Amino acid sequence: MSGSVVDNTVSSGNSSAAIPTDVSGQILDLDEDDDLEVFSKDTTLTDGSSFNASMQTSPASMINQYKFEEDADTKDIFVTVDNPESHVTAIETYITYRVMTKTTRSEFDSSEFEVRRRYQDFLWLKGRLEEAHPTLIVHPLPEKFVVKGMVERFNEDFIETRRRALHRFLNKIAEHPIFSSSEDFKIFLTAASGELTSHKKQGPGFLSRMGDTVKAVAAAVRGVRNRPQEFTEMQEYVEAFSQKIISLDKVTQRIVREQKEYLEELKECGPTYALWSQSEEELAEPLKNVAGCVDRCCKETEEQVKNLSDHLIPVLHEYVLCADTLKAVLRRRDNIQADFEAKTEALATKKANRDTESKVLSLAWASLVGRSPEEVKQQKLKGEIKEMRDDLDKAEDRLEWANNALKSDWTRWQKVMRTDLRSAFVDTAERNVSYYEKCLAVWESFLHSQRTDAEGNGKVDFS
């Protein structure tokens, strides 16, 4: 492992390197460079058909392994994602981010590390966690955008949005009692670029991944016959949650778009009042005051739109993607159960075939070798049945492990989700109150000035 010790000053500056605009088509071919992402819906990197041999599979160990700690004060690893840098080569353009880690864990060689990572490194980490723990809930990554129009938005605001999402992803992993102890997570945080590249090549090969995909498709076609009620209820909850959060996300984005349009109209309004004041001598003062009030409200509205874009929309969209992740996790759990059910049926069929085989003996063959072909066949069937029974026992343990893991992580995810959304809603409410109070104060000051002028001139009664 290698990593550099860093100082305690954390900067979050953005790179000023220019990003060239490609205008040669409508779709940008990124190949393996997945660095045009804002949020990721790629939640099916693993299907639950592969199994990590290092996992504990006894029922007792499953329960002990997935006792999730709820005490936030025990957090002992802190990660910061900042300082994005643009890299332009002859074949690709991509962004790297500085990942700074501070920890008191004894398994780390140092207390502080600093590395640089690009998006495909984050994607690798997510895939490895899903592969090792198919029914635990991995927080979603920023989404991929490969439409060429996104390149024009490859600016500081776009990069900052992505940086925040990556920062939140790593901190969700760091807060997870199982993921935070993963060797892959440790390597991600501490390994030099070359060492990480070497480690990434140690994953399953293409043929192995293809085999897992074929098994997943077969399991999906076969389906689950006896899904436990609690997982059916989870599935129903996720479907309802997904519909609601998607709707809320769309409505909020539409509100922000409309507020931006309102802001543009408001920006044109102030100068109009100011220009008008030059031709209306008796109304000049109130017109100038209205123009000033409009300008002040423009600034507050601009800040309000920014707050919604930076704080509420990312959280809502993040949980839209979380819903997709949950659906993928439930599918992987179903695939594991479908595999167990298929093995159960195969063993029952094999036993039935053995019991119904004919008992005709061949005396000629028996005189030569001492056993009939039927005896040889029965012995072979007995060996196959034993092998299938052992395989079935492993599948049963794996299913129990998967169920226990999901039930524990489901409870934890719900608690985190409710905390995140409640915090976002309270923060939005407080910012809304502040926004409307400031605008109210602006217009009240205008009314007060007009009342004072009117009373001084004795012209208008505002009572």
Side-chain angles (χ1 to χ4, degrees):
M1 297 288 174
S2 64
S4 58
V5 178
V6 299
D7 61 34
N8 293 328
T9 303
V10 179
S11 66
S12 59
N14 292 330
S15 170
S16 60
I19 306 298
T21 301
D22 186 343
V23 295
S24 60
Q26 295 302 312
I27 300 297
L28 180 65
D29 184 8
L30 298 178
D31 294 328
E32 293 189 1
D33 178 22
D34 292 321
D35 289 299
L36 296 181
E37 300 81 6
V38 178
F39 292 97
S40 175
K41 291 188 177 180
D42 184 9
T43 55
T44 57
L45 293 177
T46 58
D47 50 47
S49 57
S50 60
F51 183 57
N52 190 331
S54 64
M55 294 188 213
Q56 302 179 31
T57 56
S58 68
S61 67
M62 294 174 206
I63 297 173
N64 292 332
Q65 186 179 4
Y66 288 98
K67 286 184 177 178
F68 290 81
E69 296 295 336
E70 306 268 345
D71 187 1
D73 294 336
T74 62
K75 184 175 179 180
D76 53 7
I77 183 167
F78 302 87
V79 185
T80 301
V81 178
D82 65 4
N83 192 24
E85 291 183 357
S86 304
H87 300 263
V88 181
T89 69
I91 60 174
E92 62 179 348
T93 298
Y94 61 93
I95 305 295
T96 63
Y97 301 85
R98 180 173 64 176
V99 177
M100 301 177 63
T101 304
K102 296 184 179 182
T103 181
T104 57
R105 293 190 178 183
S106 59
E107 62 264 31
F108 286 82
D109 297 334
S110 176
S111 61
E112 297 185 10
F113 296 88
E114 178 181 322
V115 295
R116 295 204 71 85
R117 297 288 182 253
R118 58 189 295 181
Y119 180 83
Q120 62 187 29
D121 299 327
F122 288 83
L123 188 63
W124 168 83
L125 174 61
K126 179 175 179 287
R128 292 286 287 186
L129 294 176
E130 289 180 334
E131 180 184 350
H133 308 282
T135 55
L136 292 184
I137 303 166
V138 182
H139 198 72
L141 269 176
E143 196 168 44
K144 299 178 185 177
F145 287 106
V146 293
V147 177
K148 188 166 298 290
M150 292 303 300
V151 177
E152 284 75 17
R153 296 179 58 192
F154 219 45
N155 52 33
E156 289 188 0
D157 290 339
F158 176 80
I159 293 172
E160 176 62 14
T161 299
R162 186 168 54 186
R163 182 201 65 79
R164 290 178 183 175
L166 294 175
H167 173 86
R168 187 166 174 80
F169 168 77
L170 286 187
N171 277 275
K172 288 292 187 181
I173 301 301
E175 293 165 3
H176 196 283
I178 304 302
F179 294 149
S180 62
S181 299
S182 163
E183 182 66 17
D184 291 313
F185 185 50
K186 178 183 175 183
I187 290 171
F188 178 91
L189 296 177
T190 63
S193 297
E195 186 179 353
L196 179 64
T197 300
S198 176
H199 188 77
K200 288 165 67 174
K201 293 178 180 178
Q202 299 174 11
F206 174 76
L207 293 179
S208 175
R209 295 196 302 271
M210 282 295 294
D212 292 339
T213 301
V214 171
K215 291 179 182 178
V217 172
V221 172
R222 185 165 52 243
V224 177
R225 294 185 178 180
N226 300 301
R227 181 190 296 115
Q229 180 62 27
E230 58 192 317
F231 297 114
T232 299
E233 292 174 355
M234 278 186 196
Q235 195 170 52
E236 293 172 351
Y237 177 93
V238 171
E239 288 296 336
F241 175 83
S242 178
Q243 293 176 7
K244 293 171 185 174
I245 200 73
I246 287 174
S247 176
L248 188 58
D249 179 47
K250 290 181 178 179
V251 169
T252 305
Q253 292 194 46
R254 186 166 66 247
I255 289 173
V256 170
R257 286 196 301 270
E258 291 173 353
Q259 284 195 336
K260 287 180 178 179
E261 293 173 359
Y262 165 72
L263 178 61
E264 292 304 313
E265 297 289 343
L266 204 59
K267 287 180 178 179
E268 295 180 7
C269 196
T272 302
Y273 279 110
L275 184 63
W276 188 11
S277 68
Q278 298 176 10
S279 59
E280 287 283 351
E281 183 176 348
E282 292 192 10
L283 286 176
E285 193 62 28
L287 286 172
K288 289 179 181 178
N289 288 341
V290 169
C293 290
V294 170
D295 288 342
R296 290 164 64 187
C297 286
C298 274
K299 294 178 181 178
E300 298 301 335
T301 302
E302 194 167 14
E303 183 66 21
Q304 171 70 352
V305 170
K306 185 177 185 302
N307 287 333
L308 287 174
S309 299
D310 291 348
H311 300 285
L312 180 59
I313 286 180
V315 175
L316 295 177
H317 194 66
E318 183 177 286
Y319 276 97
V320 169
L321 302 174
C322 277
D324 292 333
T325 296
L326 290 169
K327 292 175 184 178
V329 168
L330 287 168
R331 284 195 301 270
R332 291 197 289 265
R333 194 221 69 87
D334 281 357
N335 289 345
I336 293 171
Q337 181 174 336
D339 181 62
F340 169 73
E341 291 176 349
K343 285 180 168 60
T344 302
E345 293 176 3
L347 179 59
T349 300
K350 182 68 72 173
K351 288 181 177 179
N353 290 340
R354 180 195 61 183
D355 295 340
T356 57
E357 288 288 341
S358 70
K359 303 299 181 181
V360 178
L361 301 178
S362 173
L363 296 177
W365 186 263
S367 65
L368 291 174
V369 299
R371 289 190 303 170
S372 70
E374 184 59 33
E375 288 176 326
V376 174
K377 189 173 183 179
Q378 287 293 318
Q379 187 65 28
K380 181 180 178 181
L381 282 172
K382 184 178 179 181
E384 291 176 350
I385 288 173
K386 182 180 184 303
E387 184 177 340
M388 293 176 69
R389 186 180 290 112
D390 292 342
D391 197 23
L392 180 62
D393 289 341
K394 292 178 182 178
E396 184 177 18
D397 282 345
R398 184 166 181 249
L399 177 59
E400 187 170 355
W401 175 90
N403 289 344
N404 286 337
L406 178 53
K407 286 188 287 187
S408 296
D409 215 17
W410 171 258
T411 301
R412 181 181 184 279
W413 178 84
Q414 282 191 311
K415 181 177 180 180
V416 172
M417 175 269 293
R418 288 163 181 160
T419 299
D420 286 348
L421 291 180
R422 183 181 293 110
S423 176
F425 296 152
V426 169
D427 178 72
T428 300
E430 290 175 345
R431 293 178 187 275
N432 282 340
V433 169
S434 176
Y435 165 69
Y436 288 114
E437 284 180 342
K438 289 177 181 178
C439 290
L440 179 63
V442 167
W443 290 111
E444 283 183 336
S445 67
F446 170 76
L447 290 177
H448 178 73
S449 66
Q450 294 306 299
R451 288 191 182 103
T452 302
D453 292 344
E455 290 171 359
N457 296 328
K459 294 180 179 179
V460 181
D461 181 7
F462 285 93
S463 59

